[in-house]
Amino acid sequence: METHSARRNEAAAGRCTAGGTGGAQAKICFGGRMKGRISVNKKLYTKNYEVRRISLPNGSVREEVIYKGDYYCPQWTPRQKRAVKTGGALLTACSVALFVLVGLLNTAGSRQYYVLLPFLATSFPIAFNIFAIFRLLASSDRMTIDVFHNSFLRLRRSSVTAFLVAAAGIIGDVIFLILNPANYATDELMFLFGVFGIFADNLALFLIFRRIPYTAVPNSSAAANECSGAKECK
């Protein structure tokens, strides 16, 4: 009788077919558990990767992860690429600097929950921007789907979140100043302009990456090696 453990192991391995050449017995598994950066819970990634487990004659098992999905290629010239990557890194660094400097200002408005919560919430998309820009700087023009989603598209999405949350913080601080006109101190205005700087930084970051089209090139196509394809996306 098949045990629960055996069924669980079979499910973890995915759908497998036996094969091999020479003295090695190979088991090729599709959609199974993948080590490294590919998570079994990410269906988008598992369907674009293939895990090959090769049983060697000495009893050891060798695993190979092979990418079989489309390649994603931003449509930019070398000059545009340098400008976009440099500009993206500078804008992200400015957001981080502004967040730290504004956070050091202990103003009356910043202690109000409707100002403090949106300001603190900007830390999450800014952190995603940091990871995404480092991933983009290290990537080539020919990106696998996980690199593309964790760099190019993540910068689009997290910058939108950052400037929307910063906008909520600006509105909250303006409401506080309207209700408390006696608090028009220099540090209160510095806080307001600092949050506005975070808003402007991330809006610019979104607009930069929103304007860059990209192409999705099938892996089986000979054009994949040259990163040139016909299916343009935006």
Side-chain angles (χ1 to χ4, degrees):
M1 180 180 294
E2 184 181 24
T3 63
H4 175 72
S5 177
R7 288 195 300 269
R8 184 177 58 187
N9 292 338
E10 182 180 353
R15 179 172 57 86
C16 303
T17 57
T21 58
Q25 179 68 25
K27 184 182 290 186
I28 303 173
C29 302
F30 301 90
R33 190 181 304 276
M34 298 183 183
K35 296 183 178 179
R37 293 176 297 177
I38 310 303
S39 170
V40 71
N41 294 323
K42 298 179 180 179
K43 295 181 181 179
L44 181 65
Y45 296 165
T46 54
K47 73 177 183 180
N48 286 283
Y49 282 83
E50 171 186 318
V51 180
R52 290 185 178 179
R53 295 182 179 88
I54 302 176
S55 299
L56 301 177
N58 60 5
S60 62
V61 177
R62 186 181 67 201
E63 289 190 356
E64 293 180 355
V65 179
I66 298 175
Y67 183 69
K68 61 179 183 179
D70 292 344
Y71 285 99
Y72 294 84
C73 312
Q75 299 301 291
W76 51 24
T77 64
R79 183 178 179 180
Q80 288 173 330
K81 179 175 71 173
R82 288 193 299 270
V84 167
K85 289 188 174 184
T86 303
L90 290 176
L91 287 171
T92 302
C94 285
S95 290
V96 174
L98 284 170
F99 180 83
V100 173
L101 292 174
V102 170
L104 295 176
L105 298 174
N106 186 21
T107 65
S110 67
R111 293 192 292 272
Q112 306 301 313
Y113 73 91
Y114 53 86
V115 178
L116 179 62
L117 291 181
F119 172 72
L120 293 178
T122 60
S123 63
F124 295 102
I126 289 175
F128 280 121
N129 280 346
I130 295 172
F131 293 123
I133 198 67
F134 274 110
R135 194 75 183 271
L136 182 67
L137 291 174
S139 67
S140 64
D141 290 343
R142 183 171 170 262
M143 304 180 190
T144 59
I145 191 169
D146 53 314
V147 172
F148 182 69
H149 276 245
N150 289 322
S151 59
F152 195 88
L153 287 188
R154 176 159 290 176
L155 280 166
R156 284 187 181 182
R157 295 166 182 169
S158 55
S159 59
V160 169
T161 305
F163 79 70
L164 289 178
V165 176
I170 293 171
I171 294 172
D173 202 36
V174 169
I175 292 174
F176 171 79
L177 290 174
I178 293 173
L179 297 177
N180 302 274
N183 285 276
Y184 277 93
T186 302
D187 57 348
E188 197 70 57
L189 294 177
M190 288 176 61
F191 179 88
L192 179 61
F193 285 116
V195 178
F196 182 80
I198 295 174
F199 167 85
D201 258 9
N202 285 276
L203 178 60
L205 193 62
F206 167 72
L207 292 176
I208 288 173
F209 284 91
R210 181 66 182 86
R211 295 179 60 184
I212 300 173
Y214 59 90
T215 56
V217 184
N219 198 337
S220 58
S221 171
N225 292 328
E226 301 175 0
C227 206
S228 60
K231 187 168 65 174
E232 183 172 313
C233 314
K234 291 184 179 180

